[in-house]
Amino acid sequence: MPGNNTPQGQRAMMTVLDAPLPELIERLGRAVADAQHALDVNSLDIAKRMSERTVDLGDGQLWSLLALGFTPTFYAFAEATLEAKLTFTIRESTEFSVGGGATGGMAGIFSVTVNAEYSRKYGFEVQGASSIAARLVSLPPPARLHQLLNE
């Protein structure tokens, strides 16, 4: 690719190669694990509150919400996606032009003008975007908890 030997081109290539993709994936995994733990603790806390909360249905007995068949909802991460996009463009252009003119006069005197122009231009653009998406699904209570609730 033209321009990848320029300082700008080399910096662009190093930016892409130094992208900490393994670190980003590790962070996503840890974040999902931490969030899953928080969801589980929350569901167990709700189960505890449901066992402590009682209602009188008019029969003179106090019933806990769990005894009435209510169960806490458990959630699990079904999918987590990390998406990172990086686009970079390097442009290099070279322009060279030559022009001139000649004038002559009497007595054999001539003059010549020469115009030479040279320009080299570099262009560098970087665009990046990232997103993280997670999908949660509702699950029934764990089998052992469900068994205890039924007892």
Side-chain angles (χ1 to χ4, degrees):
M1 167 185 269
N4 62 0
N5 290 326
T6 65
Q8 297 89 350
Q10 290 173 354
R11 271 187 252 127
M13 294 300 282
M14 292 309 295
T15 299
V16 172
L17 295 175
D18 287 343
L21 188 58
E23 185 179 327
L24 292 174
I25 293 170
E26 178 185 351
R27 285 183 182 178
L28 176 62
R30 287 179 189 235
V32 168
D34 290 345
Q36 183 64 60
H37 175 74
L39 289 172
D40 294 342
V41 168
N42 184 63
S43 294
L44 290 172
D45 182 53
I46 291 173
K48 181 180 177 194
R49 288 187 284 163
M50 290 175 112
S51 70
E52 295 167 350
R53 173 82 189 239
T54 58
V55 293
D56 182 356
L57 297 178
D59 60 357
Q61 233 182 329
L62 292 177
W63 298 86
S64 76
L65 295 177
L66 291 177
L68 293 172
F70 290 95
T71 58
T73 303
F74 285 81
Y75 294 96
F77 283 93
E79 180 181 325
T81 304
L82 170 66
E83 185 175 307
K85 295 179 184 179
L86 179 63
T87 304
F88 64 98
T89 305
I90 301 171
R91 285 185 301 278
E92 178 180 357
S93 65
T94 303
E95 294 179 16
F96 182 72
S97 64
V98 177
T103 59
M106 304 194 74
I109 299 176
F110 290 94
S111 69
V112 176
T113 59
V114 176
N115 296 327
E117 291 183 27
Y118 175 81
S119 67
R120 190 169 203 168
K121 297 178 185 178
Y122 298 98
F124 179 69
E125 294 177 29
V126 175
Q127 295 178 349
S130 63
S131 65
I132 297 175
R135 188 171 63 93
L136 293 171
V137 293
S138 174
L139 300 174
R144 180 68 180 134
L145 178 61
H146 191 32
Q147 180 184 358
L148 289 172
L149 293 176
N150 287 334
E151 293 172 4

